[in-house]
Amino acid sequence: MTIHVLSSDVISKIAAGEVVERPSSVVKELIENSLDAGAAQVSIEVSGGGTQLIRVSDNGSGISGDEIELAFERHATSKITSESDIEGISSLGFRGEALPTIASVADVSVLTKYRDEMTGTAIRLENGVLINKASQGCPQGTTINVKNLFQNVPARLKFLKSASTESGHISQTVAQYSLAFPEVKFTLVMNGRTSLRSPGNGSLRDALVEVYGLQTGQSMLEITGGDVSVSGFVSPSSVSRSNRNYLSFFVNRRWVQSKALNFAVEEAYQNMLMTGKHPIVALNISLPSGEIDVNVHPAKREIKFRNEREVFTAVQKAVRETLVGFSPVPSMRISSSLSASPAPTSIPFPSTGGLQSANTELPVLQPYHRTEPSAQLPILRVIGQLQNSYVLGEGPDGMYIIDQHAAHERVRFEKIRREQEMRSVEVQGLLEPISIDLTAQQSELINSEGKLLTETGFTLEQFGERTFLLRAVPTVLKQQDVIPVLTEILDFLEDGQRSEWQERIAASLACHGAIKAGQALDQREMEELLRQLEGTASPRTCPHGRPTVIHLSSAHLEREFGR
Ligand code: ADP
Ligand code: MG
């Protein structure tokens, strides 16, 4: 093949792949334009996961009738003129790429009225080419309609996920901007239903309440003290989620994704959350604009910090101090190494801060490993209970220490799996339905994945925009565990974790509602637990792979006592 310069059409489609990866990227770019135009209200309407329609309306400055075509020219922007402007940038956009790019992969129409003009302008483009322009009256501001997204780029269309997944990304995007700009009123209408309506009163807590529901929003702790450059809210250790989608960072009001910041926060929560659990945070970081480079990612999703270490430390410190100030001795802490000292600087991710970690106090013992071939347990005689957490048993070859929570989890897990496989999950109707408030994204999931949830034993009925009535739950759950389990399941779904889906749910159901550490058991209960554990297929590990049993063999005892 000879070398040749690509046609502008091909160039724009290649560029589109970077800027407009999926429907939520269009929503992001249009929201950013509205915010840059000083809008106090931004309404987003979406159908078909964004491929049918994305409409973003704002009451910002509007675009002048003379300039509207220019807005769709590549590299046309009103936001910078020289390279040096990028460094001190305060607008979200600056490349002049979004509108031409979107217009190259969708049918776009615009209705806008500039604040200083008497009348508005309507234009329509197809394949990036202007096909109609007319004067049309309208209030100040801009409405952009994007239809048939990616219809002319089949390769891209193929890579899109289901409409509900794409809708989920859109909800997530709108939610993030409503947290980043609490003074702006955002409305999201998804397939004709309002799924988010932020108050726009300037209060980040109120925005959190809208996005994450009343209970979670009210439980959030405001960052206090520390460096003034970090502000916002963090969840107390009692509130957590099963994925990292709830970590929001805004640097100079720009929503950014950063592994380093995720890490700084998770470090601050070290030993406060169970393994696999993540906090909810919404943090604003303000830095002199020279301290960041915003021009490093095609979709402007990431930024570069001039001094990342310093930012990392400031964030970690602010979060840690807030958490420690709120709860000097979180109830989940057991191990003595967890003091309220300044944030630890070691690097591993928070390890099991949970109850099971207590067994590391017996390091000389070799717990049975999950891959141990002879999985069965011998018949055990109950000797007693230790620390209200472990059942001591005597077997043919020495002593067995059974973690009562882990053991009960195993028993419940296998029972639930059997029920699932036989499609006979036992369900209990609730006398009084429980009303729950969900995020826009979770509501979408319930609407699209209702069947999956029903199969797992949850019956939910839509009550308000984002309020659902829980009418039935799996019988294995105790009342107080219903909401945490449901939230966990929605987190799995939200993360697209469909593989081993039933198993994850079973593990979650098994864990909640299992006998807890610290719970006194009488002789009969302990015997019953051991009988049930003996009857399981894999009695030696809990569903998360941790040991249920530690064996102290007769030989080991003899050796230890020097016999
Ligand atoms: P950028 O945001 O990087 O400048 P865009 O392609 O997103 O590039 O937008 C091009 C220009 O169109 C902007 O610089 C702005 O002047 C104008 N514009 C786009 N959307 C709006 C809007 N909602 N309100 C007012 N002006 C807008
Ligand atoms: Mg823009």
Side-chain angles (χ1 to χ4, degrees), residues 157-174:
L157 208 52
K158 250 197 346 234
F159 278 96
L160 293 188
K161 299 280 189 316
S162 68
S164 75
T165 303
E166 296 303 334
S167 298
H169 285 288
I170 292 172
S171 299
Q172 159 88 345
T173 301
V174 177

Side-chain angles (χ1 to χ4, degrees), residues 513-559:
I515 296 169
K516 303 246 177 334
Q519 190 174 329
L521 301 178
D522 64 27
Q523 183 74 15
R524 199 190 49 77
E525 288 168 327
M526 289 191 278
E527 279 166 6
E528 179 65 23
L529 178 61
L530 293 198
R531 290 301 86 83
Q532 287 178 350
L533 184 63
E534 286 159 18
T536 60
S538 312
R540 305 216 181 234
T541 52
C542 80
H544 310 290
R546 291 187 288 265
T548 51
V549 182
I550 291 173
H551 177 201
L552 213 54
S553 70
S554 306
H556 184 93
L557 286 173
E558 277 166 20
R559 211 170 39 247

Side-chain angles (χ1 to χ4, degrees), residues 28-30 32-34 36 77 79 92-99 300:
K28 173 181 189 284
E29 292 296 338
L30 297 181
E32 289 190 352
N33 281 346
S34 297
D36 283 344
T77 178
K79 299 168 193 176
L92 298 168
F94 50 83
R95 293 201 189 117
E97 268 183 337
L99 292 186
K300 299 169 286 163

Side-chain angles (χ1 to χ4, degrees), residues 97-113:
E97 268 183 337
L99 292 186
T101 304
I102 294 167
S104 74
V105 291
D107 297 332
V108 174
S109 61
V110 183
L111 178 60
T112 182
K113 189 183 94 63

Side-chain angles (χ1 to χ4, degrees), residues 3-296:
I3 299 176
H4 58 277
V5 173
L6 294 171
S7 73
S8 63
D9 182 50
V10 176
I11 291 173
S12 59
K13 291 215 169 92
I14 291 173
E18 301 201 319
V19 182
V20 183
E21 201 184 328
R22 60 194 328 160
S24 63
S25 334
V26 172
V27 172
K28 173 181 189 284
E29 292 296 338
L30 297 181
I31 290 179
E32 289 190 352
N33 281 346
S34 297
L35 293 169
D36 283 344
Q41 281 180 30
V42 183
S43 309
I44 300 106
E45 209 183 308
V46 171
S47 52
T51 52
Q52 278 166 22
L53 171 73
I54 294 172
R55 174 180 296 140
V56 177
S57 292
D58 66 55
N59 63 353
S61 64
I63 308 172
S64 147
D66 301 338
E67 292 190 338
I68 179 84
E69 287 121 303
L70 204 53
F72 284 88
E73 293 277 328
R74 199 153 281 282
H75 311 301
T77 178
S78 56
K79 299 168 193 176
I80 58 169
T81 40
S82 69
E83 186 203 333
S84 60
D85 289 344
I86 298 183
E87 199 175 294
I89 193 96
S90 60
S91 59
L92 298 168
F94 50 83
R95 293 201 189 117
E97 268 183 337
L99 292 186
T101 304
I102 294 167
S104 74
V105 291
D107 297 332
V108 174
S109 61
V110 183
L111 178 60
T112 182
K113 189 183 94 63
Y114 186 58
R115 59 171 166 244
D116 295 340
E117 289 178 346
M118 291 294 288
T119 181
T121 313
I123 64 162
R124 200 152 69 82
L125 299 98
E126 266 174 25
N127 257 323
V129 180
L130 183 76
I131 53 165
N132 195 24
K133 178 173 180 181
S135 287
Q136 190 177 321
C138 65
Q140 181 194 315
T142 305
T143 297
I144 300 196
N145 294 290
V146 176
K147 288 187 184 159
N148 306 325
L149 181 62
F150 297 137
Q151 253 14 269
N152 62 355
V153 203
R156 177 111 331 232
L157 208 52
K158 250 197 346 234
F159 278 96
L160 293 188
K161 299 280 189 316
S162 68
S164 75
T165 303
E166 296 303 334
S167 298
H169 285 288
I170 292 172
S171 299
Q172 159 88 345
T173 301
V174 177
Q176 296 304 319
Y177 281 92
S178 61
L179 296 179
F181 289 79
E183 75 278 26
V184 175
K185 219 182 219 178
F186 286 89
T187 316
L188 172 63
V189 175
M190 199 70 103
N191 301 320
R193 273 182 302 115
T194 305
S195 69
L196 183 140
R197 190 184 289 127
S198 77
N201 61 2
S203 152
L204 175 53
R205 186 184 292 280
D206 289 352
L208 283 164
V209 165
E210 171 61 18
V211 171
Y212 295 136
L214 187 63
Q215 236 183 0
T216 304
Q218 284 181 340
S219 75
M220 298 289 282
L221 311 174
E222 184 156 16
I223 297 279
T224 46
D227 201 324
V228 284
S229 63
V230 183
S231 65
F233 289 85
V234 298
S235 55
S237 58
S238 55
V239 176
S240 62
R241 293 289 186 266
S242 300
N243 65 41
R244 292 198 179 86
N245 292 353
Y246 299 80
L247 297 170
S248 308
F249 301 103
F250 310 109
V251 179
N252 294 355
R253 313 204 78 193
R254 185 183 293 280
W255 174 36
V256 298
Q257 275 146 42
S258 156
K259 289 216 169 77
L261 292 178
N262 282 352
F263 195 59
V265 167
E266 300 221 330
E267 278 265 284
Y269 277 86
Q270 195 168 40
N271 295 316
M272 292 189 183
L273 300 176
M274 296 274 271
T275 314
K277 289 291 184 185
H278 306 278
I280 305 171
V281 309
L283 293 184
N284 286 301
I285 300 163
S286 356
L287 291 167
S289 52
E291 287 291 306
I292 56 175
D293 185 353
V294 296
N295 193 22
V296 294

Side-chain angles (χ1 to χ4, degrees), residues 167 171 190-191 193 440-449:
S167 298
S171 299
M190 199 70 103
N191 301 320
R193 273 182 302 115
Q441 204 170 348
Q442 288 171 329
S443 314
E444 275 303 308
L445 279 172
I446 292 195
N447 284 310
S448 58
E449 312 283 0

